[in-house]
Amino acid sequence: MTALASAADLADAIRLQAVTAGASEPTVRGADWQTATVTAVGAGTVDCGAITARRLESYQNPGVGDHIVITQSGNGNWLACGRVSSTTDTEWDDYNPIWTTDANPQPSVGNGTLTGRWKRDGRTIVGWINLVAGSTTAFGSSSDWNFSLPVQAASVGTRLCHAEALAGSRLAGQFVISPSQTASKCYFPSTTTPPLVSCRSDRPFAWASGNQLRIDFLYEAAS
């Protein structure tokens, strides 16, 4: 190999090394963005392999496996902008509402179903709960029913949301979310005083297999 060829090879190697170093150095490359997959979720951050990025306020409910956009500043700080669009709707998420009463014995779904779905836009929470009683569903004591919310409510304001009890006919009521609550109660009309009574095993009727309780909610999250 001639000295000239050796010098050319050395120059090529140096140029390649400079390009490789610059690709991982933001002060050389400048700010950029790219897509990445979330491998771990932290407090206000997500990990994408070796990269830890702080989430924007708009990127809520992160999960491992999310395909997201991340961007880097000139000094090397990473931001997670949010999920990229997919062919499936990832905005609505399942959640498992917790059904309790204010006193024992507690209710049990048995062979019935209790399902929930929700979504978040900033601090606005919207979703629904659906209880369908089965033949082995236990309705608990004659004490108020509570259904857990997907996230805690804000410390100000009370939200009056919609509820519906079905037992052959439909009975419209309210799902009341008070400040800072993590679970809420339903209220339905009564023929006695007071005009609205809290929902429980014997109200607004004696609950039985096949009866349904449907709840819609919209409220402000605590954070």
Side-chain angles (χ1 to χ4, degrees):
M1 181 180 293
T2 66
L4 182 60
S6 297
D9 290 342
L10 177 60
D12 287 341
I14 292 172
R15 282 194 294 271
L16 178 60
Q17 186 177 21
V19 169
T20 302
S24 59
E25 179 53 55
T27 58
V28 175
R29 185 186 65 254
D32 69 357
W33 70 270
Q34 60 185 277
T35 59
T37 300
V38 174
T39 56
V41 176
T45 63
V46 291
D47 289 348
C48 302
I51 295 171
T52 297
R54 180 155 297 279
R55 290 188 288 117
L56 293 181
E57 177 66 25
S58 57
Y59 179 23
Q60 300 292 336
N61 308 313
V64 173
D66 282 356
H67 194 50
I68 66 172
V69 172
I70 57 176
T71 185
Q72 188 178 39
S73 67
N75 62 5
N77 294 323
W78 286 95
L79 284 177
C81 301
R83 284 178 284 265
V84 299
S85 178
S86 67
T87 55
T88 59
D89 181 11
T90 58
E91 290 188 348
W92 281 85
D93 292 318
D94 293 329
Y95 92 102
N96 297 316
I98 300 173
W99 178 23
T100 61
T101 62
D102 288 345
N104 290 327
Q106 295 298 311
S108 173
V109 176
N111 62 359
T113 59
L114 177 59
T115 54
R117 293 271 286 168
W118 74 298
K119 66 180 294 186
R120 179 169 191 156
D121 183 4
R123 290 178 62 177
T124 299
I125 307 299
V126 61
W128 55 262
I129 299 168
N130 193 11
L131 169 66
V132 181
S135 60
T136 62
T137 298
F139 301 100
S141 63
S142 296
S143 184
D144 294 353
W145 289 355
N146 305 284
F147 293 91
S148 65
L149 302 170
V151 297
Q152 185 178 15
S155 60
V156 293
T158 296
R159 292 292 304 175
L160 302 179
C161 306
H162 179 255
E164 182 181 65
L166 290 84
S169 59
R170 300 173 185 269
L171 187 61
Q174 296 176 342
F175 185 60
V176 180
I177 303 177
S178 298
S180 301
Q181 281 191 325
T182 57
S184 296
K185 304 178 189 294
C186 293
Y187 296 86
F188 289 95
S190 172
T191 56
T192 61
T193 302
L196 291 179
V197 294
S198 56
C199 189
R200 63 188 200 186
S201 61
D202 58 347
R203 298 194 311 211
F205 43 71
W207 288 80
S209 179
N211 295 166
Q212 296 186 47
L213 177 63
R214 299 171 178 172
I215 298 168
D216 289 324
F217 53 79
L218 187 152
Y219 65 97
E220 179 186 357
S223 61

